[in-house]
Amino acid sequence: GPVAETFRVIQGAVTEEYVRSTQGVFQFELSGDGGGTWYIDLKSKGGSAGFGKPPVTADVVMSMSSTDFIKTFMFSMSGNSSIKGDMMLTLSLEKML
């Protein structure tokens, strides 16, 4: 589905450089179609993204609908999301995407 596709794109965009410069783990609690728990790990060596809980504790947890997630990451970090955690990490994630 579109959520899985978005995470595939993110996984493909993760580089060692982003991991080194970001050092953050993002967890997404998505509701709706393709929802569930997803993550982007920009802290562990190599980085990763995908379905399920991150391999290490998340620095930022975002809760939103899967539709808003896709819109947010395709266009900008706006939308109906509640962001808890380090805003600087969130901004660096936005730059990566």
Side-chain angles (χ1 to χ4, degrees), residues 11-12 15 18 22 30 48 51 57 59 68 84-85 92-93 97:
Q11 171 76 61
T15 65
Y18 282 130
T22 306
L30 303 181
S48 61
F51 184 73
T57 306
D59 298 297
D68 280 342
K84 299 189 289 275
S92 59
L93 175 66
L97 305 168

Side-chain angles (χ1 to χ4, degrees), residues 1 18-19 28 31-32 43 50 56-57 59 70 74-76 85 91 93-94:
Y18 282 130
V19 172
F28 301 89
S31 57
K43 192 176 268 185
V56 295
T57 306
D59 298 297
I70 293 161
M74 292 301 144
F75 304 110
S76 72
L91 294 172
L93 175 66
E94 183 183 15

